[in-house]
Amino acid sequence: MLVAISKVAVLLLILAFAFNEFILYYLVIAQCGWATLEGADKPEEIVRVLLLSDTHLLGKRHGHWFDKLRREWQMRWAFQVTIRLHSPDVIFILGDTFDEGKYVMEDSEWETYVKTASQLFNTTTDLHIVVGNHDVGFHSEMTSTKVKRFYETQPSIYQSQHFQLVEVNDRVAFIMANSMALTNDGCPQCEKAKEELNQLVNRIECSKESSLECADVEKLKTRAKPILLQHFPLYRESDKLCTGPEKDKAEVIIPFRQFHDCLSKSSSKMLLEKLRPRLIVSGHTHDGCEYLHEDGTIEISVPSYSWRNRNNPSSIMLSVTDNSWKISRCYTPEESTVIFIYVAAAIASLPLYMITHRRSYFFRSVSRKFL
């Protein structure tokens, strides 16, 4: 009888573990779904894009082994379940994939970091990783060595230049930008970024017309306006004017610092005027935001995908065609829910554990008296 009660207590804890670490992810992520686009006659016209940000994979400097274990498992399993259930066409991680990349000096340490990312975000789906400030440092910390290392990282899923064009299914053009190289202060990386931006703008314009000046320019396969992807948001004073779900928004509104929390006014204006994107998607703040810029362009800031930064991580599921787009949000299990289930299971198991050990002690005491 005592053995049976003890087994029930252990079984209860095992069931809590299996539910929290496996089943719960399916139950939560199964509730996600791709937004329906009106006017899309055929399913193949729609490109399904999964966007996540700020995974902040830990290295050897910050946190501790259990913190690293919990956060990495949460992101790994949420990522894999999302792909299995919803089958995106392409995936973008919008910067700060690594938490300590800006501190890494040794190639061996960087390779360990990259190996961890490859294991966590292992997929056959087309994956692209945008550069963030924790990957190479803020502008003042960013060196040509750090940037070159990130751009040349294998596998070739990492952003490889300051402005990189990605065309998906010959229908949608995405532009990945290096936010930290957009200060326009004459630094070598900034000058290179400006040069690449002008070349990209020329490609976009030449794709719309046929002229002798464009004869040798590689054309885009789509004429639809591009979607801009970068780590920093464009300039805004704060998250005060953000719309979107309340549970995604910042709990505390603080003024944004240019080049630290967002791009500068001048850099933002330059991108909007030169690229004329139909949509901007960013990360960095760890909070969700839908922001309308003065020219009418909508920007969506994607919340952090890690429990380390918020209780309710999520990703953005973007459905997009040549001329329209729509988003839905996909949440992972909340950390508070997981903790509650573990605590409840422990509390339920404790009386059973105490009963078995008290009775076992009683029987041992009685047996000693008769011996």
Short mmCIF file of all heavy atoms in Angstrom, two decimals, residues 210-265:
data_model
loop_
_atom_site.label_atom_id
_atom_site.label_comp_id
_atom_site.label_asym_id
_atom_site.label_seq_id
_atom_site.Cartn_x
_atom_site.Cartn_y
_atom_site.Cartn_z
N SER A 210 12.72 49.97 -67.92
CA SER A 210 13.79 49.53 -68.81
C SER A 210 14.48 50.75 -69.40
O SER A 210 13.85 51.60 -70.02
CB SER A 210 13.21 48.67 -69.94
OG SER A 210 12.61 47.51 -69.42
N SER A 211 15.76 50.85 -69.16
CA SER A 211 16.53 51.97 -69.69
C SER A 211 17.97 51.54 -69.89
O SER A 211 18.40 50.50 -69.36
CB SER A 211 16.47 53.17 -68.73
OG SER A 211 17.08 52.84 -67.49
N LEU A 212 18.71 52.32 -70.64
CA LEU A 212 20.10 51.98 -70.90
C LEU A 212 20.92 51.99 -69.62
O LEU A 212 21.85 51.19 -69.45
CB LEU A 212 20.69 52.98 -71.91
CG LEU A 212 20.14 52.90 -73.34
CD1 LEU A 212 20.75 54.01 -74.19
CD2 LEU A 212 20.44 51.53 -73.94
N GLU A 213 20.59 52.91 -68.70
CA GLU A 213 21.33 52.99 -67.44
C GLU A 213 21.16 51.73 -66.59
O GLU A 213 21.99 51.41 -65.75
CB GLU A 213 20.87 54.21 -66.63
CG GLU A 213 21.23 55.55 -67.23
CD GLU A 213 20.24 55.98 -68.31
OE1 GLU A 213 19.28 55.23 -68.56
OE2 GLU A 213 20.42 57.07 -68.88
N CYS A 214 20.06 51.02 -66.83
CA CYS A 214 19.75 49.84 -66.02
C CYS A 214 20.10 48.53 -66.73
O CYS A 214 19.77 47.45 -66.24
CB CYS A 214 18.27 49.82 -65.66
SG CYS A 214 17.76 51.20 -64.60
N ALA A 215 20.74 48.62 -67.85
CA ALA A 215 21.00 47.43 -68.66
C ALA A 215 21.82 46.38 -67.91
O ALA A 215 21.58 45.17 -68.05
CB ALA A 215 21.71 47.83 -69.95
N ASP A 216 22.79 46.83 -67.12
CA ASP A 216 23.67 45.89 -66.43
C ASP A 216 23.28 45.67 -64.97
O ASP A 216 24.03 45.03 -64.21
CB ASP A 216 25.12 46.41 -66.49
CG ASP A 216 25.64 46.48 -67.91
OD1 ASP A 216 25.23 45.63 -68.72
OD2 ASP A 216 26.45 47.39 -68.20
N VAL A 217 22.13 46.21 -64.57
CA VAL A 217 21.68 46.08 -63.18
C VAL A 217 20.81 44.84 -63.01
O VAL A 217 19.89 44.62 -63.81
CB VAL A 217 20.88 47.33 -62.74
CG1 VAL A 217 20.36 47.16 -61.31
CG2 VAL A 217 21.76 48.57 -62.85
N GLU A 218 21.13 44.03 -62.00
CA GLU A 218 20.32 42.84 -61.73
C GLU A 218 18.93 43.25 -61.23
O GLU A 218 18.81 43.99 -60.26
CB GLU A 218 21.00 41.96 -60.68
CG GLU A 218 20.27 40.66 -60.40
CD GLU A 218 20.93 39.83 -59.32
OE1 GLU A 218 21.97 40.28 -58.77
OE2 GLU A 218 20.42 38.73 -59.01
N LYS A 219 17.91 42.77 -61.89
CA LYS A 219 16.53 43.17 -61.57
C LYS A 219 15.93 42.28 -60.49
O LYS A 219 16.30 41.11 -60.35
CB LYS A 219 15.65 43.11 -62.82
CG LYS A 219 16.20 43.81 -64.05
CD LYS A 219 16.36 45.29 -63.85
CE LYS A 219 16.64 46.01 -65.17
NZ LYS A 219 17.89 45.56 -65.84
N LEU A 220 14.99 42.87 -59.75
CA LEU A 220 14.20 42.09 -58.80
C LEU A 220 13.13 41.32 -59.57
O LEU A 220 12.68 41.75 -60.64
CB LEU A 220 13.51 42.99 -57.77
CG LEU A 220 14.32 43.41 -56.53
CD1 LEU A 220 15.50 44.30 -56.93
CD2 LEU A 220 13.43 44.12 -55.52
N LYS A 221 12.73 40.20 -59.05
CA LYS A 221 11.70 39.39 -59.70
C LYS A 221 10.29 39.91 -59.42
O LYS A 221 9.34 39.53 -60.07
CB LYS A 221 11.83 37.93 -59.27
CG LYS A 221 13.16 37.28 -59.67
CD LYS A 221 13.22 35.85 -59.22
CE LYS A 221 14.51 35.18 -59.71
NZ LYS A 221 15.72 35.81 -59.14
N THR A 222 10.15 40.73 -58.39
CA THR A 222 8.86 41.31 -58.05
C THR A 222 8.94 42.83 -58.10
O THR A 222 9.99 43.41 -57.82
CB THR A 222 8.40 40.88 -56.65
OG1 THR A 222 7.17 41.53 -56.32
CG2 THR A 222 9.44 41.23 -55.59
N ARG A 223 7.84 43.44 -58.45
CA ARG A 223 7.78 44.90 -58.45
C ARG A 223 7.03 45.43 -57.24
O ARG A 223 6.84 46.64 -57.11
CB ARG A 223 7.10 45.39 -59.74
CG ARG A 223 7.90 45.08 -60.99
CD ARG A 223 7.33 45.79 -62.20
NE ARG A 223 8.14 45.57 -63.38
CZ ARG A 223 7.94 46.15 -64.56
NH1 ARG A 223 6.91 47.00 -64.70
NH2 ARG A 223 8.73 45.90 -65.59
N ALA A 224 6.60 44.55 -56.38
CA ALA A 224 5.90 44.97 -55.16
C ALA A 224 6.86 45.70 -54.24
O ALA A 224 8.07 45.45 -54.22
CB ALA A 224 5.31 43.75 -54.46
N LYS A 225 6.33 46.62 -53.46
CA LYS A 225 7.16 47.34 -52.50
C LYS A 225 7.79 46.37 -51.51
O LYS A 225 7.15 45.39 -51.10
CB LYS A 225 6.32 48.38 -51.74
CG LYS A 225 5.96 49.60 -52.56
CD LYS A 225 5.23 50.61 -51.69
CE LYS A 225 4.93 51.89 -52.45
NZ LYS A 225 4.27 52.89 -51.57
N PRO A 226 9.03 46.63 -51.08
CA PRO A 226 9.70 45.70 -50.16
C PRO A 226 9.18 45.82 -48.73
O PRO A 226 8.52 46.80 -48.36
CB PRO A 226 11.16 46.13 -50.25
CG PRO A 226 11.09 47.60 -50.54
CD PRO A 226 9.90 47.76 -51.44
N ILE A 227 9.51 44.82 -47.93
CA ILE A 227 9.25 44.82 -46.49
C ILE A 227 10.61 44.95 -45.80
O ILE A 227 11.52 44.16 -46.06
CB ILE A 227 8.53 43.55 -46.05
CG1 ILE A 227 7.14 43.49 -46.68
CG2 ILE A 227 8.43 43.47 -44.52
CD1 ILE A 227 6.39 42.19 -46.41
N LEU A 228 10.75 45.95 -44.94
CA LEU A 228 12.02 46.23 -44.27
C LEU A 228 12.08 45.49 -42.94
O LEU A 228 11.18 45.60 -42.12
CB LEU A 228 12.17 47.73 -44.04
CG LEU A 228 13.41 48.19 -43.26
CD1 LEU A 228 14.69 47.79 -43.98
CD2 LEU A 228 13.37 49.70 -43.04
N LEU A 229 13.15 44.73 -42.74
CA LEU A 229 13.38 43.98 -41.51
C LEU A 229 14.67 44.48 -40.88
O LEU A 229 15.73 44.49 -41.52
CB LEU A 229 13.49 42.48 -41.80
CG LEU A 229 12.37 41.82 -42.60
CD1 LEU A 229 12.70 40.36 -42.86
CD2 LEU A 229 11.04 41.93 -41.85
N GLN A 230 14.61 44.87 -39.61
CA GLN A 230 15.82 45.31 -38.91
C GLN A 230 15.63 45.13 -37.41
O GLN A 230 14.52 44.89 -36.94
CB GLN A 230 16.14 46.76 -39.24
CG GLN A 230 15.04 47.74 -38.88
CD GLN A 230 15.43 49.17 -39.21
OE1 GLN A 230 16.19 49.42 -40.14
NE2 GLN A 230 14.94 50.11 -38.44
N HIS A 231 16.73 45.24 -36.69
CA HIS A 231 16.66 45.03 -35.25
C HIS A 231 16.06 46.23 -34.52
O HIS A 231 15.10 46.09 -33.76
CB HIS A 231 18.03 44.70 -34.68
CG HIS A 231 18.01 44.34 -33.23
ND1 HIS A 231 17.28 43.27 -32.74
CD2 HIS A 231 18.59 44.93 -32.15
CE1 HIS A 231 17.42 43.21 -31.43
NE2 HIS A 231 18.20 44.20 -31.05
N PHE A 232 16.63 47.41 -34.73
CA PHE A 232 16.11 48.61 -34.08
C PHE A 232 14.79 49.05 -34.72
O PHE A 232 14.63 48.96 -35.94
CB PHE A 232 17.09 49.78 -34.23
CG PHE A 232 18.29 49.71 -33.33
CD1 PHE A 232 18.53 48.63 -32.51
CD2 PHE A 232 19.22 50.74 -33.32
CE1 PHE A 232 19.64 48.57 -31.70
CE2 PHE A 232 20.35 50.70 -32.52
CZ PHE A 232 20.56 49.60 -31.71
N PRO A 233 13.86 49.58 -33.94
CA PRO A 233 12.71 50.25 -34.54
C PRO A 233 13.16 51.55 -35.19
O PRO A 233 14.21 52.11 -34.85
CB PRO A 233 11.79 50.56 -33.34
CG PRO A 233 12.35 49.76 -32.19
CD PRO A 233 13.80 49.57 -32.47
N LEU A 234 12.37 52.05 -36.14
CA LEU A 234 12.59 53.40 -36.61
C LEU A 234 12.29 54.38 -35.48
O LEU A 234 11.74 54.00 -34.45
CB LEU A 234 11.71 53.70 -37.82
CG LEU A 234 11.97 52.93 -39.12
CD1 LEU A 234 11.20 53.58 -40.26
CD2 LEU A 234 13.44 52.83 -39.45
N TYR A 235 12.62 55.64 -35.72
CA TYR A 235 12.48 56.63 -34.64
C TYR A 235 11.03 56.74 -34.16
O TYR A 235 10.09 56.84 -34.94
CB TYR A 235 12.95 58.00 -35.10
CG TYR A 235 12.71 59.06 -34.03
CD1 TYR A 235 13.57 59.18 -32.95
CD2 TYR A 235 11.58 59.88 -34.09
CE1 TYR A 235 13.34 60.12 -31.96
CE2 TYR A 235 11.35 60.83 -33.11
CZ TYR A 235 12.22 60.94 -32.03
OH TYR A 235 11.98 61.85 -31.04
N ARG A 236 10.86 56.68 -32.84
CA ARG A 236 9.63 57.07 -32.16
C ARG A 236 10.01 57.52 -30.77
O ARG A 236 11.03 57.08 -30.22
CB ARG A 236 8.59 55.94 -32.12
CG ARG A 236 9.01 54.63 -31.47
CD ARG A 236 7.84 53.64 -31.52
NE ARG A 236 8.09 52.38 -30.84
CZ ARG A 236 8.33 51.22 -31.45
NH1 ARG A 236 8.35 51.18 -32.77
NH2 ARG A 236 8.54 50.12 -30.75
N GLU A 237 9.24 58.43 -30.20
CA GLU A 237 9.59 59.01 -28.90
C GLU A 237 9.57 57.98 -27.79
O GLU A 237 10.37 58.04 -26.85
CB GLU A 237 8.66 60.18 -28.57
CG GLU A 237 8.86 61.38 -29.49
CD GLU A 237 7.98 62.56 -29.10
OE1 GLU A 237 7.16 62.40 -28.16
OE2 GLU A 237 8.12 63.63 -29.71
N SER A 238 8.63 57.05 -27.87
CA SER A 238 8.51 55.99 -26.87
C SER A 238 7.48 55.00 -27.40
O SER A 238 7.05 55.09 -28.56
CB SER A 238 8.05 56.56 -25.52
OG SER A 238 6.70 57.01 -25.61
N ASP A 239 7.07 54.06 -26.55
CA ASP A 239 6.01 53.11 -26.92
C ASP A 239 4.62 53.61 -26.52
O ASP A 239 3.65 52.86 -26.55
CB ASP A 239 6.26 51.75 -26.25
CG ASP A 239 7.25 50.91 -27.05
OD1 ASP A 239 7.56 51.28 -28.20
OD2 ASP A 239 7.72 49.88 -26.52
N LYS A 240 4.53 54.88 -26.16
CA LYS A 240 3.27 55.43 -25.66
C LYS A 240 2.15 55.33 -26.69
O LYS A 240 0.99 55.08 -26.35
CB LYS A 240 3.46 56.89 -25.24
CG LYS A 240 2.22 57.52 -24.63
CD LYS A 240 2.51 58.96 -24.17
CE LYS A 240 1.27 59.59 -23.55
NZ LYS A 240 1.54 60.99 -23.10
N LEU A 241 2.47 55.56 -27.96
CA LEU A 241 1.45 55.58 -29.01
C LEU A 241 1.29 54.22 -29.69
O LEU A 241 0.63 54.13 -30.73
CB LEU A 241 1.79 56.65 -30.05
CG LEU A 241 1.84 58.09 -29.53
CD1 LEU A 241 2.20 59.05 -30.65
CD2 LEU A 241 0.50 58.48 -28.89
N CYS A 242 1.87 53.18 -29.12
CA CYS A 242 1.75 51.85 -29.71
C CYS A 242 0.32 51.33 -29.60
O CYS A 242 -0.35 51.53 -28.59
CB CYS A 242 2.69 50.86 -29.01
SG CYS A 242 4.44 51.14 -29.35
N THR A 243 -0.11 50.65 -30.64
CA THR A 243 -1.37 49.92 -30.59
C THR A 243 -1.04 48.43 -30.62
O THR A 243 0.12 48.04 -30.66
CB THR A 243 -2.28 50.29 -31.78
OG1 THR A 243 -1.60 49.99 -33.00
CG2 THR A 243 -2.61 51.77 -31.75
N GLY A 244 -2.08 47.60 -30.60
CA GLY A 244 -1.88 46.16 -30.54
C GLY A 244 -2.35 45.61 -29.21
O GLY A 244 -2.83 46.35 -28.35
N PRO A 245 -2.22 44.29 -29.01
CA PRO A 245 -2.67 43.67 -27.76
C PRO A 245 -2.00 44.27 -26.53
O PRO A 245 -0.79 44.48 -26.51
CB PRO A 245 -2.28 42.20 -27.94
CG PRO A 245 -2.15 42.01 -29.42
CD PRO A 245 -1.66 43.31 -29.95
N GLU A 246 -2.79 44.53 -25.51
CA GLU A 246 -2.26 45.12 -24.28
C GLU A 246 -1.20 44.24 -23.63
O GLU A 246 -0.23 44.73 -23.07
CB GLU A 246 -3.41 45.38 -23.29
CG GLU A 246 -4.30 46.54 -23.67
CD GLU A 246 -3.59 47.87 -23.68
OE1 GLU A 246 -2.69 48.06 -22.83
OE2 GLU A 246 -3.89 48.72 -24.54
N LYS A 247 -1.40 42.92 -23.69
CA LYS A 247 -0.46 42.03 -23.00
C LYS A 247 0.91 41.98 -23.65
O LYS A 247 1.87 41.46 -23.08
CB LYS A 247 -1.04 40.62 -22.91
CG LYS A 247 -1.26 39.91 -24.24
CD LYS A 247 -1.82 38.52 -23.98
CE LYS A 247 -2.06 37.74 -25.27
NZ LYS A 247 -2.58 36.38 -24.98
N ASP A 248 1.03 42.55 -24.88
CA ASP A 248 2.31 42.59 -25.55
C ASP A 248 3.06 43.89 -25.29
O ASP A 248 4.27 43.98 -25.50
CB ASP A 248 2.14 42.45 -27.07
CG ASP A 248 1.78 41.04 -27.48
OD1 ASP A 248 1.85 40.15 -26.62
OD2 ASP A 248 1.41 40.84 -28.65
N LYS A 249 2.35 44.91 -24.84
CA LYS A 249 2.93 46.25 -24.73
C LYS A 249 3.88 46.36 -23.53
O LYS A 249 3.83 45.56 -22.60
CB LYS A 249 1.83 47.29 -24.61
CG LYS A 249 0.96 47.43 -25.85
CD LYS A 249 -0.10 48.49 -25.64
CE LYS A 249 -1.02 48.62 -26.84
NZ LYS A 249 -2.08 49.63 -26.62
N ALA A 250 4.71 47.39 -23.57
CA ALA A 250 5.64 47.67 -22.48
C ALA A 250 4.87 48.00 -21.20
O ALA A 250 3.88 48.74 -21.24
CB ALA A 250 6.56 48.82 -22.85
N GLU A 251 5.31 47.45 -20.08
CA GLU A 251 4.65 47.73 -18.80
C GLU A 251 4.98 49.13 -18.31
O GLU A 251 4.17 49.77 -17.64
CB GLU A 251 5.08 46.69 -17.76
CG GLU A 251 4.62 45.27 -18.09
CD GLU A 251 5.04 44.26 -17.04
OE1 GLU A 251 5.73 44.67 -16.06
OE2 GLU A 251 4.70 43.08 -17.17
N VAL A 252 6.17 49.60 -18.64
CA VAL A 252 6.61 50.94 -18.24
C VAL A 252 7.01 51.71 -19.49
O VAL A 252 7.81 51.23 -20.30
CB VAL A 252 7.80 50.88 -17.26
CG1 VAL A 252 8.24 52.28 -16.87
CG2 VAL A 252 7.43 50.07 -16.02
N ILE A 253 6.45 52.91 -19.66
CA ILE A 253 6.77 53.74 -20.82
C ILE A 253 7.94 54.65 -20.48
O ILE A 253 7.89 55.43 -19.53
CB ILE A 253 5.56 54.60 -21.24
CG1 ILE A 253 4.36 53.70 -21.57
CG2 ILE A 253 5.91 55.47 -22.43
CD1 ILE A 253 4.60 52.75 -22.72
N ILE A 254 9.03 54.52 -21.25
CA ILE A 254 10.21 55.36 -21.04
C ILE A 254 10.56 56.05 -22.35
O ILE A 254 10.31 55.52 -23.45
CB ILE A 254 11.42 54.53 -20.55
CG1 ILE A 254 11.75 53.42 -21.56
CG2 ILE A 254 11.14 53.93 -19.18
CD1 ILE A 254 13.02 52.66 -21.25
N PRO A 255 11.15 57.24 -22.28
CA PRO A 255 11.57 57.92 -23.52
C PRO A 255 12.65 57.12 -24.24
O PRO A 255 13.57 56.59 -23.61
CB PRO A 255 12.12 59.26 -23.01
CG PRO A 255 11.56 59.43 -21.64
CD PRO A 255 11.40 58.06 -21.09
N PHE A 256 12.56 57.03 -25.56
CA PHE A 256 13.55 56.31 -26.34
C PHE A 256 14.76 57.19 -26.63
O PHE A 256 14.62 58.38 -26.91
CB PHE A 256 12.95 55.84 -27.67
CG PHE A 256 12.16 54.56 -27.56
CD1 PHE A 256 11.89 53.97 -26.34
CD2 PHE A 256 11.68 53.94 -28.71
CE1 PHE A 256 11.17 52.79 -26.25
CE2 PHE A 256 10.96 52.76 -28.64
CZ PHE A 256 10.71 52.19 -27.41
N ARG A 257 15.94 56.58 -26.55
CA ARG A 257 17.18 57.25 -26.91
C ARG A 257 17.57 56.85 -28.32
O ARG A 257 17.62 55.66 -28.64
CB ARG A 257 18.29 56.87 -25.93
CG ARG A 257 18.05 57.34 -24.50
CD ARG A 257 18.95 56.60 -23.52
NE ARG A 257 18.58 55.18 -23.42
CZ ARG A 257 19.26 54.27 -22.75
NH1 ARG A 257 20.37 54.64 -22.11
NH2 ARG A 257 18.84 53.02 -22.69
N GLN A 258 17.87 57.84 -29.15
CA GLN A 258 18.24 57.55 -30.52
C GLN A 258 19.55 56.77 -30.57
O GLN A 258 20.49 57.04 -29.83
CB GLN A 258 18.37 58.86 -31.32
CG GLN A 258 17.06 59.63 -31.41
CD GLN A 258 17.18 60.90 -32.22
OE1 GLN A 258 17.57 60.86 -33.39
NE2 GLN A 258 16.85 62.04 -31.61
N PHE A 259 19.60 55.77 -31.45
CA PHE A 259 20.72 54.86 -31.63
C PHE A 259 20.94 53.91 -30.46
O PHE A 259 21.91 53.16 -30.43
CB PHE A 259 22.03 55.62 -31.94
CG PHE A 259 21.99 56.36 -33.22
CD1 PHE A 259 22.25 57.72 -33.25
CD2 PHE A 259 21.67 55.73 -34.41
CE1 PHE A 259 22.20 58.42 -34.44
CE2 PHE A 259 21.61 56.42 -35.59
CZ PHE A 259 21.88 57.77 -35.62
N HIS A 260 20.07 53.97 -29.47
CA HIS A 260 20.14 53.01 -28.37
C HIS A 260 18.84 52.21 -28.29
O HIS A 260 18.86 50.98 -28.21
CB HIS A 260 20.41 53.72 -27.04
CG HIS A 260 20.75 52.79 -25.92
ND1 HIS A 260 19.80 52.11 -25.20
CD2 HIS A 260 21.95 52.42 -25.41
CE1 HIS A 260 20.38 51.36 -24.28
NE2 HIS A 260 21.71 51.53 -24.39
N ASP A 261 17.72 52.92 -28.31
CA ASP A 261 16.41 52.26 -28.28
C ASP A 261 15.75 52.25 -29.65
O ASP A 261 14.82 51.47 -29.89
CB ASP A 261 15.48 52.96 -27.28
CG ASP A 261 16.06 52.97 -25.87
OD1 ASP A 261 16.35 51.88 -25.37
OD2 ASP A 261 16.22 54.06 -25.29
N CYS A 262 16.19 53.15 -30.53
CA CYS A 262 15.61 53.25 -31.87
C CYS A 262 16.61 53.98 -32.77
O CYS A 262 17.63 54.49 -32.30
CB CYS A 262 14.28 54.01 -31.83
SG CYS A 262 14.44 55.73 -31.27
N LEU A 263 16.32 54.02 -34.07
CA LEU A 263 17.15 54.80 -34.98
C LEU A 263 16.91 56.29 -34.76
O LEU A 263 15.94 56.68 -34.11
CB LEU A 263 16.84 54.43 -36.43
CG LEU A 263 17.27 53.04 -36.92
CD1 LEU A 263 16.97 52.91 -38.41
CD2 LEU A 263 18.75 52.78 -36.66
N SER A 264 17.77 57.09 -35.35
CA SER A 264 17.60 58.54 -35.26
C SER A 264 16.50 58.99 -36.21
O SER A 264 16.08 58.26 -37.12
CB SER A 264 18.90 59.25 -35.60
OG SER A 264 19.19 59.07 -36.98
N LYS A 265 16.04 60.23 -36.02
CA LYS A 265 15.04 60.79 -36.91
C LYS A 265 15.55 60.83 -38.35
O LYS A 265 14.84 60.47 -39.30
CB LYS A 265 14.67 62.22 -36.47
CG LYS A 265 13.71 62.30 -35.30
CD LYS A 265 13.33 63.75 -35.05
CE LYS A 265 12.31 63.86 -33.93
NZ LYS A 265 11.91 65.28 -33.68
#
